[in-house]
Amino acid sequence: MISAVVRIFRTPDLRRKIGFALGIIALFRLGSFIPSPYVDFGNVQVCLNANQNTSGLYELVNLFSGGALLQLSIFALGIMPYITASIIVQLLRVVIPHFETLHKEGQAGQSKLTQYTRYLTIALGVLQSTTLITVARSGALFGTNATPECSQLLTNDAWYAILLMVITMTAGTGLIMWMAELITEKGIGNGMSLLIFTSIAAGFPRSLGNVFAARGLNTLLIVLAMGLLVIVAVVFVEQSQRRIPVQYAKRVVGRRTYGGNNTYIPIKVNMAGVVPVIFASSLLYLPALIAQFNQPAAGQQPAEWVTWVSTYLVKSDQPSYMILFFLLIVGFTYFYVAITFNPEEVADNMKKYGGFIPGIRAGRPTAEYLDYVLTRITLPGSLYLGIIAILPLIVLALAGANTDFPFGGTSILIVVGVGLETVKQIDSQLQQRHYEGLLR
């Protein structure tokens, strides 16, 4: 392993790519600590120290921004607008035929869809930054039980100051998008995934420190051991796949023979990745968001539905929240897999190139067989996603802890997935140059 790492840094091209990616990541982390204009940095730090355990409405966005959201920095929105825009554009392929046509046109169509995603990212950046500044201006960013400093996060709430903050945060989102594309083009791995990986991994030391401060060394060791077990389980499931054998008939064209080889269609157990968890989290935040803007005035009682939402759909230690979260993840997993994998399209392509599954007729029977296999393998994948996502909620509820559990849910899925993919890309580049990879 050490010799493989030495070979990485002895290869000029690979060393340059990794250095470039690390440089962009360093700039990304630096921007997460630079406050936006007219933000009281001192009050923000006081509120962060008094509210170490971020949960509720902005938990997911704060996770993907590496903590920059609650610091109201220039990179406060992080990569979340781009993720949301990418998901929306992907879902619109089902609704808008033009998007599906562009998807099938190859590189030119993909470039057009990427351009639409960028425009939508900027629009979502404007919307989300406006919402964030409005909530910070009202003093509700850190919850209703926050310290008095949390209601004075802005030094100037005039219209021009708010406009400048919106422009700054939106420009920060555009800059992050450009930096991610630079990593993809000139560095190693997928730029967006690496920036998300960096944001999440940056929060691990703080979470572990909170566990140690609140529960001591023994609890910290238990958390680390449980985290290791979760990582092993995630790696095992993420690498698991159902391989459907495919044979191609021989074709003679002139003096050349084509086909006649055997291959397989890899269907992963978790084909949906972490997208269903993001869908479910976003949907569960909608009632909390509505309740947030329907708080009563001082001295008045809140409406019954606001109290019910605040009790059962905001607090993650409630059984109703966990059950609904789990069911939403299972449902969205089936929904997203059905969108991203089309058995009829795969069957038509196989038939076009003379491929067939042994024992299954080409055409419609192949599509039905693929749909049957996909439906059955999606069930354990969806249950796995749901269990991993609610694992930290169950641990916190049983332990009665009020600190973030760092090894579970969305964070560990993304960190392990991106880590595996990046290692594979480095391994393939090493094999191209030294005929020996990073992994053995």
Side-chain angles (χ1 to χ4, degrees), residues 16-17 49 91 107 125 200 213 223 274 354 386 392 403 425:
R16 191 184 313 113
K17 289 182 177 181
N49 295 329
L91 294 178
Q107 186 64 33
I200 296 174
V223 168
V274 75
T403 54
Q425 291 204 20

Side-chain angles (χ1 to χ4, degrees), residues 115-186:
Q115 189 176 2
Y116 290 155
T117 305
R118 292 170 181 166
Y119 293 151
L120 185 57
T121 299
I122 299 301
L124 289 175
V126 173
L127 178 63
Q128 292 183 14
S129 59
T130 305
T131 304
L132 175 61
I133 294 170
T134 302
V135 174
R137 184 184 180 187
S138 66
L141 183 61
F142 290 90
T144 55
N145 298 323
T147 57
E149 290 84 359
C150 299
S151 60
Q152 301 174 358
L153 298 178
L154 306 182
T155 59
N156 189 346
D157 59 355
W159 67 268
Y160 60 87
I162 294 177
L163 179 62
L164 182 59
M165 284 187 280
V166 170
I167 294 174
T168 301
M169 291 183 180
T170 305
T173 298
L175 182 59
I176 292 174
M177 183 169 57
W178 176 67
M179 291 163 59
E181 292 178 356
L182 283 180
I183 294 179
T184 304
E185 181 182 352
K186 300 181 180 180

Side-chain angles (χ1 to χ4, degrees), residues 227-241:
L228 182 60
L229 292 176
V230 171
I231 291 173
V232 171
V234 170
V235 171
F236 177 77
V237 177
E238 291 295 324
Q239 297 295 93
S240 301
Q241 56 183 225

Side-chain angles (χ1 to χ4, degrees), residues 3-9 11 14 424-439:
S3 61
V5 175
V6 171
R7 285 198 305 273
I8 291 176
F9 290 99
T11 306
L14 196 55
K424 286 180 181 178
Q425 291 204 20
I426 296 176
D427 181 70
S428 64
Q429 298 214 17
L430 274 180
Q431 288 182 349
Q432 290 176 5
R433 294 168 174 83
H434 297 280
Y435 304 104
E436 187 176 357
L438 181 65
L439 305 175

Side-chain angles (χ1 to χ4, degrees), residues 89 98-99 101-103 105-120:
V89 171
H98 177 62
F99 279 28
T101 303
L102 290 175
H103 177 71
E105 285 182 358
Q107 186 64 33
Q110 293 290 343
S111 300
K112 199 70 175 177
L113 287 177
T114 302
Q115 189 176 2
Y116 290 155
T117 305
R118 292 170 181 166
Y119 293 151
L120 185 57

